[in-house]
Each structure stands twice: as C-alpha cells, then as structure tokens.
Amino acid sequence: MIGAFANILGRLTLNAFPHDPITIGGAVFMVGSFLAVMGMVTYFKRWKWLWKDWFTSLDPKKIGVMYMVVALVMLVRGGIDALMMRAQQATSVGASHGILSSNHFQQVFSAHGTIMIFFVAMGLMFGLINLVLPLQLGARDVAFPFLNSMAFWLFVAGMILVNLSLFIGEFSAAGWLAYPPLSELHYSPGVGVDYWIWSLQIAGIGSLLSGINFLVTIFKMRAPGMTLMKMPMFAWSVLGAMTLVIFAFPILTATLALLFLDRILGTHFFTAGGGGNAMMYVNLIWAWGHPEVYILILPAFGVFSEVVATFSRKMLFGYKSMVWAIWAIVFLSFTVWLHHFFTMGAGADVNAFFGIMTMIIAIPTGVKIFNWLFTMYRGNIHFATPMLWFLGFIVLFTIGGVAGVLMAVPPADFQFHNSLFLVAHFHTMIVSGVLFGDFAGIMYWFPKVFGFRLNERLGKYAFFCWLVGFILAFVPLYILGLMGATRRLDHYSASLGWQPLFIVAGVGALIIALGVALQILQFIVSFVLRDNTRDNTGDPWNGRTLEWSTPSPAPFYNFAHIPEVSTKDAFWAMKQRPKNEKDKELPYHDIVLPQNTGVGVYIAAGAFLFGFCMIWHIFWLAALSLLGIIILAVIRTSRDSHEQVVSASMVERIEAERLRGGEAV
Amino acid sequence: MNKKVKFSFIGLVCLAVLLTAAWYLHRTNLPVLEPKGQVGHQELDLIIFGSVLSLVVIVPVFMLLFTFAWRYREGNPRAKERYRPELDHSIATETIWWLIPSALILVLSIVTWNSSHQLDPYRPLASSAKQMNIQVIALDWRWLFIYPEQHVASMNFVQFPQNTPVDFTITSDAPMNSFWIPQLGGQIYAMPGMTTQLHLIASHLGEFNGYSANISGKGFADMTFVAKSSTPGGFNNWVRTVRQSHQKLSEETYNKLLQPSEDHSVIYYSNVQNGLFDAEVMKYMVPGLMTGTDNQLRITQRTSASSHQSHSSTYKSMPGMST
C-alpha cells in the first residue's frame, strides 16, 4: 500500500488503455457516440436548457424520463454484449476459437448481466415509478425530492463506471455475481472486479435511497381519502418492492464492502484459505439477489395489473387477493435464496426446505395470473400494444415458471444447475416478466408524460419481433441445457453437436435486435408525427386511476387541485358520476414545490471520482472526493429554504392556457 | 382472403420449424434425458413428474388466456352484451385458485422432501457391488482423479467398472468448480478447502462427457473430461496400464500441477503419495501452511504437516457436516 501511495496515479498507467482491436472498436464507438451527442448539444446550444430544465430538476417526471433514457441506452449496450456472446458461441467450436478471447468473452457476459440487471431493469423500474407513482397517488411530488435526484445521479455514476472499464482498464471476468475465490485478488488481480464492486456499490446506495423515498412517499403523500386499500395496484406493488429494497440492499452493500476489504487489505472473509469461506459470500449475495428478482418484477406486475384492467375496461379482479399475493411474495422472497446453489452440498434437509419454500412462491404468483385472466373475463378488450406485451408475458412467464418449479426440486436442479437450461429459465422470467412489463408501462404512460401517444403499428411490430426472437433465442438454450451445455462457454468441442442450436439462438438474438431497432424508430416516428397522436383529453386510454385525471403532459405541479378519493379506481368513479360544475370553480391555491438544485449532480460526481480512485488505488484523491461529498451534504442540509412557491395566479394562468391550447389543437 | 393467406403462411413456417426441430432432436444426444445410471434415471423421473404435474396449471392458463382474449375482444359483437365492468371479485373462484395451486404444491413438496433425501448426493447407493472411492481435485483448468485404493491417479480421464457404486470425494485446488457428468446424474460443487461427495453409478458401458459447470477463470470452457464405464476386467486392465506410467504423483509433482494449464491431454500416474488428497484439502485450513498475508496461496514447507494429515478424511465441507 505504501507503494501505491508512491505513485500519484495509483495503478493507473498507459497500459490501462485498450490494445486488442475489438475493445478498441468498442471504445471508439462509445467515445464517438458520446462526443457526437456532446457536439449536438453544443451545436444546438442546449447545454443551459439541459442543465436548468433537466439535470438539476427535482421533478420526478423529469427524473423518470432521465432514468428511462439511461436505461434504454444501456439496453442497447447490454444488447450488443448479448450479440457478441451469441456470435462467439455460434462460431467458437472445435478448431475455431471465435471472435473473442476467453478473457474478453468472460468480461462481456459479466458486463451483460451486470448492466441488464442494475442499469436496465433497475433503471426502467425506477423510471416508471418516478413517472407514475406520485401521479397515481394524487401527489405533487415524492417525499424527498432532493434524495430522488441524488439517487438518480448515483445510478448514473455507477453506470459511467461500468462503461468506463471499456476504455480504462478492464471489466470483471468473474460473472455477474463475482463469486469468490475467483473474484479474489489471487485469481483476479486486475481492476475488473474493482470496477464491478464500485459501480454496484454506488448505484446500489442510490437504489436504497430511492427505496426509502418511495416507501415514505406511499405512506405519507397519498391524496386525501386514498386509504391503502384504495390504492392503485401499481402503488401496492411498488410498496412491496421498496420494502424489499430496504431489507435487501444493505446486504449487497455490506457484501461488496467485505469483498473489497479482502481485495485491498488482505482480509479473509471469502478467500479460499486463511479462514475465509467463499460460500458465505454466495449465501450473502443471494440473500440480496433473490429479493432483487422480486424488486424488479413486482412493479412490472403492477404495470400489468393497470394495463389489463384499463384495456379490458373492467376493474382489476380480486384486488384483495392481489394485495395478499404481493405480501406473500415479499415475505417468501427472503426464504428461498439457497435454491441458487442446491449443488453446494448442503444436507438434504436444508435443500428440501428451500426447495419447498421456492415452490410455495408459485402459489401467490399463480393467483396473480388467474386474477389477471379473470380481469379479462366479461371485459371489452382493446388490444393496444401494452395489452400485447401482457399476453406475451402470460405465455412466456407461465412456461418459464414451470421450468422454475422443476428446478426447485433439488435433485432435479442437480441436472439443470449452471446449464443453459437455467440461463434460458431466468431470461424467460426476467425478459417476459420485467422487460415486457416495463415496455408495456412505457407505451401506456408515455402520453401522460409527453402529451402524445406512441405509434401503435411500430409498437406491434416491435412486440412480435421480441416475441418471435425471444422464442428462437431461448428455446435452443433450454434444449442445449438438456444436452449438457453449461453456461459461460467461450468454446466447445465440435463433436457435441451444439452448434446448430447456438446458430438458431443467434438468429433469435438478431430478431430481438430488430425489435429494439423498431422501438427506437417508434420513438422517432411518434415524435415526428406527434400532431396525429396528441392527447388533448389527458385520458387517452379511458383510464381508471388518478394520473389520467390531470392533463397530458402532466403539468410540473401534477394537479392544480389535489383530488379527493373515495373509492379505488378513483378516476373511473369520477367519470361515472354526473359532471359536477362546481369542480371547475374551485379557487386556485399557491403551490409549494422544491427548487432545482445541482447538488445531487455534484455529490454523484464526487461518488464517481471516489469509486474511480478506489479502483485505481489513487487514495489521496479518493479521500478528497469523500471530503467533498461530506461538505456538499453539510451545505445542502444547513440551508434553510429549498422551496419555491408557484402563486395561485400563476397556476390559474397555466391552467387557462392549457384549456385554450387544448381546444385549439 | 389476404388474412387467410397470411395466417396459413405463418402456420406453414411454424410447422416447418417444428419438423426441423423434431428431426434435429431425433438425431442428437440429450444426455440429461438419456441417463446411463440409476441416479440420472431417478432425476429424470422427477423432471418428468414435475413437468406433467405442471400441465395441470399450464393447460387451464393457456385455455383461459386465449378463450378470454378471443371471446371478449372489442371487435366481437357479442362482447358488448357480455360486458360486466363491475365484476371485480368472487370469493368462491378466488378460493379455488388459492387452493388448487396449494394442493399441487403440497404434492410436489412431499415429493421434494422425499427425493431430496433419497437422492442426497452424500448418500451411498444401495448395490450388491462394493463401493469404490475416487478422489477428485479440480485444478486450473484440469481434473485430477486419485484412486486411493489402487494408489494410482489420472488426469482428465476417469474410469470405473459398470454397476459399481462410485463415491466421488471432491475438492478444488483452484476457484470453485462444479463436477458434472450429465448422463450419470447431477452435479456438485468442487470448493477449495472443503470436500463434497457425489455418489454415482453407471448401468451401461460407455464413455460419458464430464464438465465443470461453474466458471473458474480463463480456461474453464474446455475443462472437460471423459468418464468411462467398463467391465470389471476392463477396469483392472486399465489400472494395470496406469501402473506402468513413468509419472508418479508426489507432493512435489502435484505442486507443479497448480500452475494454470489448458493442456487437456490424459496423464496417468503410477504411484500416488499417501494422504495427498486430504493434505491438499487441509492446507487451506492450517494457517502455517499458507502465507495468507497477500492472498498468495503458496504452499510452504510441509514435511512435518502432511504426516498428521493422513487421518483428516473426517473433515467434510461445512454444510455437509450434518450428513
């Protein structure tokens, strides 16, 4: 360590920059796109707008949009990783060793998993929650707006760290959960695992802060009259997920910290020798990792609950059952972690216990599926694109769920564990459950945020590409698992006969890529043709919950008048009542909202610098950035006023303009 | 008309894909579905049982999904008269779908409990033949098989007689790996400083592929081996061949094997130092045997230590202690 202090830049030398052509290509592409975006912003003189209106904004809708943008860009990055993996496995057979070296391939799949879970799925989830939750609760803001902004920027800092490893140093090659002893210094001496640790550590703290924020928002910010049992199902599912965040993420933070201590101070928490136990790490990481799956999927379940009710034009079936199912899942998700490693050799009693607990989770999940199906029963179903994502979800999720129940039987799992069957299973659950749900949510709530609907035709094409591509990409993996193909292979013998299936899987991945391209095209086309799909009513889908009661795009204060709630599906009930003329004559009041602030950005920048310096052992600068973070936090908390007042007359003017504008278009 | 053409085209494509898939699967090996030993058979039976039981849920879900989607679609003229917007709960039906899955899971739980014990990898297999012990060490990135009774060892190749239960005692002197011979039965982790046990038996003659199912670094993908089940006579012949090898496995030659290697050739060792396997497990446990300060797993002088290691086979992996 003394040696590290001797060098002012720690381990960072010119050798850290990429050498091999594919990495250079990737780095050049990423730097190039980054510079192109910067250039465009500069050319159109949008920096000030970007900073004032977006980066420093505490408006959850804007933060939500920023989450979405980051997550969708990361979806492309993680998708390119996936295509590289498919290309490698389709070609690296027998005498050929494919396009990537084994170490590079291992970095690619480690990055793919890390990015897809932490920066795509988490980003889409927090994005949707930011966009929708306050509106659904009839609130003007979240409970802690500044914390929200800081959490988002910490997420961005983690995201930048992951991507920075592409051109400064390397990424972890130890898989997305970096099991020791492979991830210990002895076997992974480079900076890769440190990049992994610090990007997740920083993003993870952001997630924990968000979890606290949304939990308090739900408990304290609901509109008058909205008791918990009158909340929209999305809000319930967010409440469940955020409870999990609060209990699970500290485990992640502690586990990552211990692994880092092993790597930097030579402690022996998880080392192979010296009294360490790698299986302790495996237990801890899954004690976070399994709830994490439900953290991602519960909000997506919430989206489906809203979508299926709205497009079936019926109330959600079995509301109370749904609430109980959520809480059963929340509780059970902490009792099943060992099913990720039945093959560790725990005794039969332990394995059987965790196997049975795992199966029990299938019960509330099954109940939710039947309730969604019976929401359609005697409905009047409009098959807009979000509803198609729902149908695709039910089909794939049920099949994936059955594979999951099979793997919950420990002796059967001995034959599936770490094979491509497992890989196919969890992709089925997370893609159909989480991604399809988030895509449905984006289609569904897009008009509320931007004031126009997304193009339906392109949306449907994208959906069918995803569905067909997914089946082609992952059914071969189920079969390959039964053929004995393990996960993470950068090469295999020709005599095994696996290649045709890997090629089919590659074709499937390309079709999914086409689906993503269509989704991007959908955003562009919908923006260009936005006048055709403009939503002047604020209620484009004949919605049921409060977010549809305010105009589209929702004003920055969400509601000119805080709505009063007396039933669930509050807006649907309002629409059924005869029009009450008095509503319009309500006087406007001053609205207090938080002022914009850049402190969240600065703190996250400090966290980024801190992480970067810890990775490269530049300890003096790490200490300085930590000090900077503390000073910023002190300054922020010791200021008296963070609020601005939107005067009643201002609100009146905005509302009047909106009415006029609405009629004119 | 146009729609008809479109749908029949899609139907034909799907049919062609299914037929190609069926033809392909017919002529390919699916080791997990074609077990060659008792353990693999019982695990396959469980997989089939679970799949069939799941149909009780899958079939109704798919039927309800497509029926409801079709019957209550907006375009259906009769959907309007069937429309019941306020139908939002029914205690009777909801009870059904809390209870039916619960009943299914109850059945599956009993099967899970029994099978977990019956197919516990630590449990010796019932057989008239005498059990054989083979010690397995996962190295970077090779598999070393030690035959303590025969005092021989073999790299990347393991042979045993047909219909003889084999007790694999497994450890790793590298990152964690997972020991898997799909046609004989499921896997178990190989972990440094710990041992796990896996009991397998081959009912057929043949050569089966073995894999490491857990990533262990650069050369992990090709860390495969062949497991051969032969007649008892064939096995004895093989042991005789191995005994003729010039290579011997001592502490010293073993330590050379700790250098990472992607050489997958088969190596035979005619003589194995007594207690070598136990010593390699225990070196992680005994502080004096490792210089642990900088995470280097370097082995220091061991002359005195290895002698009191010979009886250390009682040390099981921590989680396995109970069995």
Side-chain angles (χ1 to χ4, degrees):
Chain A
M1 264 190 41
I2 293 162
F5 276 112
N7 186 346
I8 198 162
L9 285 178
R11 297 195 271 178
L12 186 56
T13 63
L14 277 181
N15 285 333
F17 296 93
H19 304 297
D20 84 285
I22 291 182
T23 326
I24 293 177
V28 166
F29 173 75
M30 289 206 51
V31 174
S33 344
F34 180 72
L35 289 180
V37 173
M38 296 286 118
M40 263 167 64
V41 174
T42 313
Y43 180 78
F44 291 109
K45 298 198 171 78
R46 285 296 198 167
W47 279 113
K48 204 169 173 189
W49 167 78
L50 215 50
W51 179 258
K52 284 201 135 175
D53 279 14
W54 289 90
F55 290 179
T56 59
S57 173
L58 300 193
D59 181 346
K61 296 182 289 302
K62 287 189 168 166
I63 292 175
V65 170
M66 290 193 288
Y67 264 115
M68 290 290 177
V69 171
V70 174
L72 292 174
V73 171
M74 283 300 102
L75 178 70
V76 173
R77 156 82 214 261
I80 291 172
D81 288 339
L83 289 176
M84 285 164 75
M85 282 147 67
R86 291 274 66 92
Q88 172 77 4
Q89 292 190 318
T91 56
S92 179
V93 52
S96 156
H97 278 75
I99 53 167
L100 304 171
S101 69
S102 67
N103 178 269
H104 191 181
F105 179 77
Q106 291 169 356
Q107 287 187 42
V108 167
F109 67 65
S110 304
H112 169 79
T114 307
I115 288 175
M116 287 302 197
I117 294 291
F118 284 90
F119 300 104
V120 178
M122 290 293 272
L124 291 175
M125 177 195 76
F126 279 128
L128 276 182
I129 296 175
N130 264 299
L131 292 180
V132 179
L133 185 74
L135 283 164
Q136 273 204 334
L137 297 179
R140 290 203 170 113
D141 207 338
V142 293
F144 308 116
F146 169 68
L147 206 63
N148 197 20
S149 155
M150 193 170 95
F152 167 72
W153 287 104
L154 287 174
F155 164 83
V156 173
M159 180 278 288
I160 295 175
L161 270 183
V162 169
N163 288 289
L164 201 64
S165 69
L166 204 61
F167 22 87
I168 308 179
E170 56 179 1
F171 194 64
S172 168
W176 82 281
L177 284 183
Y179 280 11
L182 183 60
S183 58
E184 293 280 357
L185 201 58
H186 178 67
Y187 295 109
S188 302
V191 291
V193 175
D194 299 306
Y195 263 113
W196 180 82
I197 289 175
W198 284 103
S199 60
L200 298 201
Q201 193 66 294
I202 292 170
I205 287 173
S207 302
L208 177 60
L209 295 179
S210 292
I212 296 168
N213 192 0
F214 293 122
L215 188 98
V216 178
T217 303
I218 292 173
F219 281 136
K220 303 297 285 183
M221 309 278 285
R222 298 191 310 276
M226 186 186 282
T227 58
L228 285 175
M229 287 311 273
K230 286 174 189 151
M231 280 203 307
M233 196 48 64
F234 180 73
W236 266 117
S237 60
V238 172
L239 185 59
M242 294 307 116
T243 309
L244 287 174
V245 166
I246 290 171
F247 284 102
F249 267 79
I251 308 177
L252 176 71
T253 306
T255 311
L256 293 174
L258 294 180
L259 182 62
F260 189 69
L261 288 179
D262 272 8
R263 290 178 59 84
I264 200 162
L265 294 181
T267 57
H268 289 283
F269 292 108
F270 309 129
T271 54
N277 192 332
M279 289 299 112
M280 180 62 138
Y281 177 93
V282 177
N283 272 289
L284 284 171
I285 201 79
W286 282 114
W288 158 81
H290 197 83
E292 165 70 8
V293 177
Y294 288 95
I295 289 168
L296 297 175
I297 217 162
L298 280 177
F301 283 175
V303 174
F304 287 130
S305 297
E306 302 295 331
V307 163
V308 72
T310 302
F311 292 103
S312 303
R313 301 190 182 116
K314 263 186 74 199
M315 278 180 140
L316 182 67
F317 197 87
Y319 181 93
K320 280 183 192 158
S321 271
M322 289 301 233
V323 172
W324 282 109
I326 287 174
W327 290 98
I329 291 173
V330 167
F331 175 76
L332 289 169
S333 70
F334 274 105
T335 62
V336 301
W337 78 89
L338 193 125
H339 71 214
H340 296 271
F341 46 95
F342 283 140
T343 52
M344 186 178 75
D349 290 348
V350 173
N351 278 355
F353 171 80
F354 281 97
I356 291 170
M357 294 314 279
T358 305
M359 292 168 188
I360 293 177
I361 284 206
I363 300 171
T365 314
V367 166
K368 292 186 81 77
I369 288 184
F370 282 111
N371 278 333
W372 287 320
L373 290 178
F374 273 79
T375 306
M376 290 162 69
Y377 173 70
R378 295 206 146 193
N380 187 7
I381 308 167
H382 174 53
F383 285 102
T385 314
M387 199 60 192
L388 292 185
W389 290 112
F390 168 76
L391 295 183
F393 154 73
I394 296 283
V395 171
L396 294 180
F397 197 78
T398 312
I399 294 171
V402 166
V405 170
L406 280 185
M407 285 192 291
V409 184
D413 178 69
F414 297 157
Q415 286 285 42
F416 292 132
H417 184 64
N418 271 1
S419 74
L420 288 176
F421 189 94
L422 167 78
V423 172
H425 159 71
F426 70 69
H427 278 86
T428 312
M429 303 316 266
I430 295 184
V431 172
S432 77
V434 178
L435 266 191
F436 282 19
D438 292 341
F439 290 157
I442 291 175
M443 278 295 286
Y444 180 57
W445 281 303
F446 191 90
K448 182 48 59 189
V449 183
F450 292 97
F452 58 94
R453 276 175 287 125
L454 286 169
N455 186 297
E456 281 281 326
R457 177 181 285 251
L458 282 170
K460 282 176 180 157
Y461 290 165
F463 165 75
F464 283 109
C465 282
W466 265 95
L467 186 71
V468 173
F470 185 86
I471 291 169
L472 276 182
F474 287 96
V475 170
L477 297 197
Y478 279 111
I479 300 168
L480 278 165
L482 297 175
M483 295 167 90
T486 56
R487 66 199 291 199
R488 297 167 171 168
L489 295 177
D490 56 273
H491 179 255
Y492 51 91
S493 155
S495 62
L496 294 164
W498 296 345
Q499 195 179 23
L501 286 175
F502 275 120
I503 292 174
V504 174
V507 172
L510 283 175
I511 298 177
I512 295 177
L514 180 64
V516 175
L518 285 170
Q519 286 174 303
I520 295 169
L521 188 67
Q522 184 192 22
F523 285 120
I524 299 169
V525 168
S526 310
F527 176 73
V528 173
L529 302 177
R530 61 193 179 280
D531 283 341
N532 300 344
T533 56
R534 205 142 333 244
D535 169 33
N536 298 320
T537 57
D539 182 21
W541 311 113
N542 197 1
R544 319 182 63 83
T545 39
L546 285 178
E547 73 270 31
W548 305 111
S549 70
T550 193
S552 301
F556 61 93
Y557 45 76
N558 285 2
F559 300 94
H561 301 106
I562 294 291
E564 294 216 11
V565 175
S566 52
T567 60
K568 57 183 181 181
D569 285 359
F571 182 53
W572 185 261
M574 285 176 200
K575 286 192 286 190
Q576 305 304 311
R577 273 201 306 268
K579 266 237 178 301
N580 187 347
E581 283 303 313
K582 261 196 268 173
D583 285 351
K584 280 191 178 159
E585 288 157 23
L586 280 176
Y588 291 107
H589 295 286
D590 289 356
I591 296 175
V592 180
L593 286 173
Q595 283 168 13
N596 286 8
T597 170
V599 178
V601 185
Y602 303 141
I603 288 184
F608 165 79
L609 196 59
F610 177 76
F612 183 80
C613 293
M614 291 306 273
I615 291 163
W616 289 100
H617 295 183
I618 313 170
F619 298 112
W620 62 272
L621 193 53
L624 278 184
S625 36
L626 194 61
L627 188 70
I629 294 173
I630 295 171
I631 292 173
L632 281 166
V634 169
I635 293 175
R636 165 77 196 176
T637 40
S638 52
R639 270 184 50 188
D640 287 338
S641 157
H642 299 296
E643 266 120 23
Q644 56 175 337
V645 177
V646 185
S647 67
S649 58
M650 176 89 156
V651 177
E652 191 168 5
R653 204 162 59 237
I654 294 172
E655 290 292 308
E657 234 167 71
R658 196 178 274 281
L659 274 180
R660 261 206 316 283
E663 277 154 16
V665 175
Chain B
M1 180 61 201
N2 198 4
K3 227 174 191 171
K4 245 185 198 166
V5 172
K6 209 159 89 183
F7 279 121
S8 35
F9 177 73
I10 292 173
L12 278 178
V13 169
C14 290
L15 195 67
V17 168
L18 284 179
L19 284 176
T20 321
W23 170 78
Y24 173 79
L25 291 177
H26 179 68
R27 55 180 283 280
T28 331
N29 281 331
L30 289 155
V32 173
L33 303 186
E34 296 157 14
K36 304 289 185 211
Q38 179 199 325
V39 178
H41 266 295
Q42 288 174 338
E43 285 168 353
L44 177 61
D45 289 346
L46 269 179
I47 292 169
I48 293 170
F49 174 77
S51 310
V52 172
L53 196 66
S54 309
L55 288 179
V56 181
V57 174
I58 291 197
V59 171
V61 165
F62 278 28
M63 274 170 46
L64 290 175
L65 178 71
F66 292 114
T67 315
F68 289 174
W70 182 252
R71 274 171 73 101
Y72 306 113
R73 71 189 189 279
E74 195 176 27
N76 185 352
R78 293 181 55 200
K80 268 273 176 297
E81 47 196 88
R82 292 179 183 137
Y83 181 47
R84 292 261 313 273
E86 306 304 327
L87 177 69
D88 72 336
H89 72 283
S90 152
I91 293 186
T93 45
E94 283 174 62
T95 313
I96 290 175
W97 57 74
W98 276 100
L99 287 185
I100 288 184
S102 301
L104 285 181
I105 296 300
L106 183 69
V107 173
L108 208 51
S109 295
I110 295 168
V111 173
T112 298
W113 185 266
N114 292 336
S115 66
S116 294
H117 286 84
Q118 195 196 344
L119 287 167
D120 182 2
Y122 287 86
R123 185 179 156 127
L125 300 170
S127 166
S128 54
K130 188 174 167 282
Q131 173 171 294
M132 187 178 150
N133 181 237
I134 300 177
Q135 296 165 333
V136 185
I137 306 182
L139 300 168
D140 263 346
W141 291 277
R142 307 190 269 185
W143 291 98
L144 180 64
F145 300 94
I146 300 173
Y147 292 73
E149 291 140 41
Q150 287 77 12
H151 300 285
V152 296
S154 160
M155 180 78 88
N156 293 325
F157 180 86
V158 59
Q159 187 164 335
F160 38 81
Q162 181 194 7
N163 291 327
T164 301
V166 184
D167 166 16
F168 290 100
T169 310
I170 303 163
T171 190
S172 168
D173 208 353
M176 187 169 98
N177 282 279
S178 193
F179 178 82
W180 189 27
I181 309 170
Q183 280 185 295
L184 296 187
Q187 64 196 285
I188 199 155
Y189 284 163
M191 299 168 284
M194 295 181 241
T195 64
T196 48
Q197 258 180 306
L198 181 61
H199 288 88
L200 295 175
I201 189 168
S203 54
H204 292 61
L205 297 175
E207 295 199 350
F208 314 117
N209 289 321
Y211 306 93
S212 170
N214 197 73
I215 183 175
S216 54
K218 186 164 157 279
F220 138 83
D222 291 312
M223 192 175 159
T224 55
F225 61 93
V226 170
K228 184 174 177 181
S229 138
S230 63
T231 58
F235 175 72
N236 290 337
N237 284 339
W238 178 75
V239 172
R240 267 196 288 281
T241 316
V242 177
R243 286 211 174 111
Q244 276 156 19
S245 166
H246 299 297
Q247 306 240 42
K248 294 184 182 357
L249 194 60
S250 64
E251 189 77 55
E252 200 183 333
T253 43
Y254 176 83
N255 281 343
K256 284 191 190 130
L257 296 178
L258 293 179
Q259 285 302 316
S261 163
E262 293 179 61
D263 175 12
H264 301 293
S265 50
V266 174
I267 308 170
Y268 293 152
Y269 298 94
S270 55
N271 200 340
V272 180
Q273 189 178 315
N274 265 337
L276 182 74
F277 180 86
D278 295 330
E280 300 315 324
V281 175
M282 286 311 295
K283 73 181 177 195
Y284 287 95
M285 302 293 181
V286 182
L289 291 183
M290 280 180 19
T291 54
T293 46
D294 54 354
N295 280 25
Q296 294 286 325
L297 302 180
R298 209 178 297 119
I299 316 301
T300 54
Q301 291 293 316
R302 201 208 299 240
T303 41
S304 63
S306 58
S307 58
H308 29 95
Q309 305 286 306
S310 49
H311 53 83
S312 63
S313 58
T314 45
Y315 287 86
K316 298 287 181 213
S317 75
M318 282 176 32
M321 282 283 222
S322 57
T323 52

